[in-house]
Amino acid sequence: MEEIAKKKVLSCIQPSGMLTLGNYIGALKNWLNMQEEFDCTYAVADLHAITVRQEPAKLRQQIYSTAALLLALGIDPEKSNIFIQSHVPAHSQLSWILSCYTQFGELSRMTQFKEKSAKHTDNVNAGLFSYPVLMASDILLYKPDLVPVGADQKQHLEIARDIATRFNHTYGDVFTIPDAYIPKVGARVMSLQDPTKKMSKSDENINAWVAILDSKDDIIRKFKRAVTDSEARVCIGENKAGINNLIGIYSAVTGKTAEQITAEFEGRGYGDFKLAVGEAVAEELRPIRERYETFIADKKQLEDIYRMGDEKAAYIANKTLSKVMKKVGFVL
């Protein structure tokens, strides 16, 4: 009986510093399950990181750290491919070609460009403007069927689809038009200090966010200080953004429903609940932190894994790039 080929999935992650519990619950936790169902490719998107000024030594360390964290999460290089974006020159080459098939007006409407331009007024560079074209190249090189996206990335996938459709209309069936993959599970994790805002590592209040690699003591301390309301009843409700957020987090790491959580903490105060959430999160992240320390301490093993991934990625990417260049009319 012929084996049915798995659908291809591509996910990219920037090495932009410490990843949070929000990143883990909202996206990364799903990646482990996805590699069993799909043919997955994971890229450390270091080229994207330099639209904002970086300290070279710090950026290098963050690239290593992100690669190690992917492995620590349980991504298996025997099942999925892990590589570093800048090690595959086809990304930059295709980006230039596709930029000539992308309209200025399309890029000027991108929400993220407007937001980052406002935030980094001293460095509104061309790379920040053309960032979506590089992202389109990241995606289209590997011909994925699906691309996991959050709310802030939907617009980037849409423009990648538009660019691919335009190119295909001109030159024939070259690119696969990918669909968005919306995970079945995963909650939007909010700030522990302002639960009306998304949890973010850029928050100046270190008690507002939990890093995946935080120690158990730090995690519990941050949850103990989480903002709640005065009702002192553990349940989902209006005007209970803090408790709603904590219930969502507790549900994500324990698998319990909101109803089960409400029953479990009936008659108990917020202090007990916040401690329980902190301990559950710390236990969920503990094995990841322990595996991370193993991978980051063995640089040779880490390099061997991503170098192997670089070669696999380059083979696939170069095939796509060659086809594109022939279609456009370049001499190969």
Side-chain angles (χ1 to χ4, degrees), residues 9 36 42 58 62 70 87 99 115 135 155 161 164 166 176 183 186 197 212 228-229 234 249 255 260 265 269 281 302:
V9 170
E36 303 300 330
Y42 298 107
K58 186 177 180 182
Q62 287 177 177
L70 288 175
H87 292 182
S99 70
E115 291 175 349
M135 185 174 286
Q155 198 179 25
R161 286 169 53 88
R166 183 177 299 130
T176 298
K197 297 193 307 183
I212 293 175
T228 52
D229 55 80
V234 178
I249 292 170
Q260 289 172 325
F265 290 92
V281 168
L302 187 60

Side-chain angles (χ1 to χ4, degrees), residues 95-138:
S95 182
W96 168 249
I97 296 172
L98 293 186
S99 70
C100 298
Y101 293 83
T102 306
Q103 300 304 303
F104 182 89
E106 290 177 302
L107 294 177
S108 64
R109 290 191 293 271
M110 299 300 288
T111 303
Q112 199 168 78
F113 171 70
K114 295 174 183 177
E115 291 175 349
K116 288 194 174 183
S117 296
K119 188 174 181 180
H120 302 282
T121 54
D122 60 333
N123 184 28
V124 183
N125 57 72
L128 185 61
F129 185 71
S130 60
Y131 177 106
V133 185
L134 178 57
M135 185 174 286
S137 301
D138 299 336

